[in-house]
Amino acid sequence: MMNLKKMNKLSLSRIGGIFHSRNAVALDWDHQSLAAVEVADRNNGAEIIHFTIRAFPADGMNAAWLKAIWQQEHFSEHRVICCLPPALVEYKSLVMPDLPLAQLEEAVKIEMDSGSSGHSTSLVKIIDWQKQYQMLLVNIALVKLELLAKEFQVLKQAGLEIEWTGFRYQGLQNFINFNRNFWDDTTTSTIYLDIDKDATELGIVKNEVMVYRREIGWGCSALLNNLRGNNSQAIISSEITDLIEEVRLSLAAYKADTKDEIPLKIEAFGKIEAASTIRDS
């Protein structure tokens, strides 16, 4: 049975604590590849023992392929912790009453069950929240349980024991954590776009805090193909227009939810070629 009660954010410094001074193998995968890292807990911190990144075979991740990796890379531990892949998690922001945590968790579940279809089979987890006037702006994750069960079944067939499951830090959160000291103005609210091949993450940062996060179903694959194929500016502009429309809808939802004005500053990063083209537009 999946140990969903242990689902939380992943921090490398926590791995030793999870395994109580034993080695740990952390797994992180997306639709293309798997990263596996074996870490040993040392008195002065964690030490990486084995590390590999493998592209999936034609039939995707399977038990025989995983067993072969364990043998080839000489992993010594079969107990693993997992970062949930992006395809299994949907991130949202909600405006909720200022309630104690237990009541807030229940209110969020009721809100998601009644709000839209497709969430009844998802596990709802609160990631964090911020005070927003007399309300709370709550960032949540919706975990797609049916897909998660299929992925975990493959791991178990490979002889792996899942000890802990966590959310990877999103790209925008990483950007904030590692670049906050280089910002010219930390008080101005800013929109950030993290552009990837299959999706774009939109976040709004206010006073160095991520106050709003939403994943947009627009990836830059088609845009990059058009740029590299020297296609017409009209085709390229059409791709960017689609992204702009998605961003406008997300910002309208932000304003409706928070009653805040939409920030005037926007930054795009991620796939450099695509981000540069979007900035120039």
Side-chain angles (χ1 to χ4, degrees):
M1 183 176 179
M2 292 177 289
N3 196 347
L4 298 178
K5 291 183 179 179
K6 294 185 178 180
M7 193 173 291
N8 209 325
K9 289 182 181 177
L10 177 64
S11 170
L12 189 62
S13 62
R14 294 188 58 202
I15 292 177
I18 295 170
F19 281 81
H20 306 293
S21 299
R22 291 181 57 180
N23 287 11
V25 178
L27 299 179
D28 186 13
W29 69 96
D30 55 21
H31 66 288
Q32 292 181 321
S33 61
L34 169 84
V37 183
E38 183 168 2
V39 178
D41 186 31
R42 305 298 189 211
N43 291 332
N44 59 347
E47 179 183 351
I48 294 177
I49 305 300
H50 301 290
F51 171 76
T52 187
I53 297 177
R54 300 289 187 92
F56 285 141
D59 57 347
M61 186 168 68
N62 60 75
W65 179 72
L66 286 170
K67 289 179 180 179
I69 290 176
W70 247 248
Q71 292 178 349
Q72 294 163 7
E73 298 296 332
H74 306 290
F75 287 121
S76 64
E77 181 59 66
H78 283 75
R79 296 197 304 165
V80 299
I81 63 176
C82 300
C83 297
L84 293 180
L88 301 187
V89 186
E90 180 182 358
Y91 295 95
K92 287 183 174 293
S93 297
L94 300 175
V95 176
M96 302 296 294
D98 189 355
L99 299 170
L101 179 57
Q103 295 179 31
L104 180 63
E105 290 176 335
E106 188 62 30
V108 166
K109 290 177 183 177
I110 293 173
E111 174 73 15
M112 296 313 303
D113 287 342
S114 63
S116 59
S117 60
H119 295 140
S120 59
T121 58
S122 296
L123 175 71
V124 181
K125 296 289 290 185
I126 294 176
I127 299 176
D128 54 37
W129 61 89
Q130 297 92 30
K131 190 85 170 181
Q132 189 81 19
Y133 302 108
Q134 301 302 313
M135 306 290 281
L136 293 178
L137 186 62
V138 185
N139 292 317
I140 67 169
L142 300 169
V143 183
K144 301 169 186 177
L145 292 179
E146 290 185 7
L147 295 177
L148 180 63
K150 292 178 181 178
E151 299 275 1
F152 278 10
Q153 184 62 29
V154 173
L155 299 181
K156 292 176 181 178
Q157 289 171 350
L160 304 179
E161 181 182 349
I162 302 162
E163 284 290 310
W164 189 89
T165 305
F167 302 113
R168 61 167 66 180
Y169 276 105
Q170 293 298 88
L172 289 173
Q173 193 67 55
N174 277 330
F175 181 82
I176 293 170
N177 290 340
F178 289 105
N179 294 278
R180 65 173 70 246
N181 293 331
F182 298 95
W183 293 356
D184 293 330
D185 182 2
T186 59
T187 61
T188 302
S189 297
T190 305
I191 303 165
Y192 287 91
L193 296 177
D194 185 7
I195 301 162
D196 206 349
K197 289 171 57 179
D198 302 302
T200 295
E201 186 185 356
L202 179 147
I204 294 178
V205 176
K206 185 177 181 180
N207 295 325
E208 300 190 17
V209 176
M210 176 82 75
V211 297
Y212 191 77
R213 172 189 285 156
R214 176 166 291 191
E215 186 172 287
I216 296 173
W218 183 94
C220 65
S221 295
L223 174 62
L224 291 176
N225 289 337
N226 287 323
L227 287 171
R228 292 163 184 166
N230 294 317
N231 290 324
S232 70
Q233 187 61 43
I235 295 176
I236 294 171
S237 296
S238 175
E239 289 291 335
I240 296 175
T241 299
D242 290 343
L243 171 62
I244 292 172
E245 183 59 28
E246 292 286 349
V247 171
R248 282 177 175 165
L249 291 172
S250 295
L251 294 179
Y254 166 77
K255 185 173 182 179
D257 287 346
T258 65
K259 307 301 186 291
D260 270 358
E261 291 300 316
I262 296 173
L264 298 178
K265 183 179 179 182
I266 185 168
E267 295 284 352
F269 65 103
K271 296 292 182 182
I272 297 175
E273 191 176 357
S276 298
T277 302
I278 291 166
R279 287 194 195 101
D280 294 342
S281 301

